Amino acid sequence: MGIKLSDMKNINLEENSKNEENSNVLNETYEELKNASTDELMKRLQSEVKKQKVDGTFDIENIKDNIDKIKGYLPQDTYQNMLNILDSLK
């Protein structure tokens, strides 16, 4: 048996809500980090990686994919630096 039309509407509303929530979190994180120093950013990255490793949620390939998605917005040296930092955190 297939999905009812009324169920599809609820699924779409849930997806839109999740997308809006993710967008809000992303905007908040950007605002929080945009003026941070390199040292602050590195400390935060290390802390987050440590937390994810403890939680068992660290996924280096997912992080690399996300870095590749924003590659066009980054200077080449920043992009390469991010990859080098990520490799050092394995």
Side-chain angles (χ1 to χ4, degrees):
M1 184 168 191
I3 295 176
K4 295 179 185 176
L5 187 57
S6 59
D7 292 339
M8 290 180 66
K9 180 180 178 184
N10 289 337
I11 290 170
N12 286 337
L13 289 174
E14 288 173 11
E15 287 177 8
N16 287 341
S17 177
K18 286 179 185 177
N19 287 341
E20 186 175 320
E21 184 178 323
N22 287 343
S23 180
N24 289 339
V25 168
L26 184 60
N27 286 335
E28 288 172 14
T29 303
Y30 170 76
E31 289 299 323
E32 181 182 332
L33 299 176
K34 71 180 180 181
N35 294 320
S37 71
T38 303
D39 288 339
E40 290 174 284
L41 292 173
M42 188 58 156
K43 286 178 186 175
R44 181 153 175 172
L45 176 61
Q46 289 171 334
S47 173
E48 183 63 26
V49 167
K50 182 178 179 181
K51 177 183 169 283
Q52 287 181 10
K53 284 183 176 183
V54 169
D55 293 347
T57 59
F58 182 67
D59 183 356
I60 196 163
E61 292 306 316
N62 184 37
I63 296 171
K64 283 184 180 180
D65 289 344
N66 286 317
I67 291 172
D68 284 338
K69 288 177 185 176
I70 62 169
K71 179 181 180 179
Y73 301 101
L74 300 171
Q76 181 61 30
D77 58 332
T78 301
Y79 169 75
Q80 192 58 51
N81 201 18
M82 291 175 78
L83 292 179
N84 292 341
I85 291 168
L86 190 57
D87 285 341
S88 73
L89 297 172
K90 287 183 181 179

